[in-house]
Amino acid sequence: MLRSRDDILRDITELILLHQQGKLGGEKMPEDEHPPLEPSSAASYHYFTLPMALNYQRNSYALWESAHRTFNDPDTMDVFDPAAAAAMDAEKLREKLLKHKVALQPNKQPAVWRTLCVTIMDQLDGDLRNLFRRNGNSVRRIKQHMMQHKKSFPYLGGDKIMNYWLYVMEQYTDADFPDRECITVAPDTHVLQSSAKLGILTEEEAAGPKARELAASRWEDLLQGSGLCPIDIHTPMWLWSRSKFAAQV
C-alpha cells in the first residue's frame, strides 16, 4: 500500500539514523575489499570501475573479494591496467579474469572488460579520470556522455549500475560531484524490496517490469526539498532488506 510523503520521509530518516548507528549491519560493504590505492590515482578509478561492469546478478561481496585477489596476484593484476588488458590475447585475458572468479562467464564478461579497457585507451587517453574531467565532474554530463556512447560502456552504461557506480566512485576515489543529487537511487532487488516495505511502491509494482524506473522516479520526487539526495538512501535500504528487515522503523 502506498503511504504519505511525510510517513515515508519519517521512516527513511529513521533508517538513515539506524545505519549511522551501525544497527543495520554493513560495517563492511562489498567495495571495502580493495587494495590501498591513492584515491586520486588512475589505478583507483580503474579498480572501482572494471569489476563494477561485471556486477550483474551475483553476490557483490564475492565479486569484490575476487577483484581484490586478482589485483594482489602478480600473475593477474595487469588486467586492471587498461593498456595491458586492451592489448592482451583474448585467451590470456579470459584465463586471468577467471582465475580468481572476478569473471564467472568465460566469454561475455571478459569481452565486457576488454571493451571498457579499449574505451579508456581510445577515448580517454588511457585514464578514466578524463571522463570526469572532460565533463566538469558533473553527474548529469557524465551520465549523458555514457548514454550517448552506451556500446563503449557495456553494463556500466545501464541505469542501475551507472548510478551505483557513480556513488561508489564518490565514496572510494577523490571524485567530487557538484550535482550529486543527480545520482538517482540504484534500484536493485534489495532497494526495491525496501521501497515496497516503506510504501513508495506497492508489492505489485515492485515485482513489475517497470519497478526500477518507478522507484527511481518516485524517490527523486519524494526527496525534493528534503535535504536528502536519492543515492544517500541506497545503502540503508540495501542493508535493511538484506537483513530481512530486522530493524523496526
Side-chain angles (χ1 to χ4, degrees), residues 110-193:
V112 166
W113 193 285
R114 178 188 294 281
T115 298
L116 281 172
C117 289
V118 169
T119 296
I120 293 168
M121 294 307 300
D122 292 354
Q123 298 180 26
L124 300 169
D125 296 330
D127 188 338
L128 187 69
R129 293 174 298 181
N130 287 327
L131 173 64
F132 295 73
R133 292 165 178 159
R134 293 173 186 175
N135 288 288
N137 290 308
S138 164
V139 169
R140 181 180 56 80
R141 288 173 56 190
I142 291 167
K143 288 167 74 170
Q144 283 178 346
H145 177 91
M146 292 175 69
M147 294 294 284
Q148 289 167 0
H149 301 85
K150 207 163 186 177
K151 289 185 178 179
S152 299
F153 298 94
Y155 284 114
L156 206 62
D159 203 40
K160 181 184 79 168
I161 292 182
M162 189 193 317
N163 281 285
Y164 185 64
W165 167 68
L166 288 167
Y167 169 72
V168 166
M169 298 304 279
E170 181 190 52
Q171 297 297 308
Y172 293 92
T173 74
D174 70 341
D176 185 17
F177 304 120
D179 56 348
R180 67 184 302 273
E181 69 277 2
C182 293
I183 308 177
T184 62
V185 168
D188 66 0
T189 300
H190 286 306
V191 170
L192 290 175
Q193 289 173 348

Side-chain angles (χ1 to χ4, degrees), residues 91 94 98 103-113:
E91 182 58 34
R94 180 184 297 112
L98 290 172
L104 298 179
Q105 300 167 345
N107 297 313
K108 192 171 187 177
Q109 291 182 338
V112 166
W113 193 285

Side-chain angles (χ1 to χ4, degrees), residues 23-75:
K23 295 180 179 178
L24 297 179
E27 292 81 4
K28 181 178 180 181
M29 294 299 290
E31 298 82 10
D32 288 339
E33 191 71 36
H34 63 82
L37 297 168
E38 172 57 46
S40 63
S41 68
S44 184
Y45 277 66
H46 298 153
Y47 179 85
F48 287 107
T49 296
L50 293 167
M52 187 66 74
L54 308 188
N55 192 10
Y56 181 72
Q57 293 186 340
R58 62 188 296 186
N59 184 300
S60 295
Y61 285 95
L63 167 66
W64 289 100
E65 287 167 2
S66 295
H68 198 179
R69 287 196 299 270
T70 300
F71 189 93
N72 284 339
D73 183 342
D75 291 334

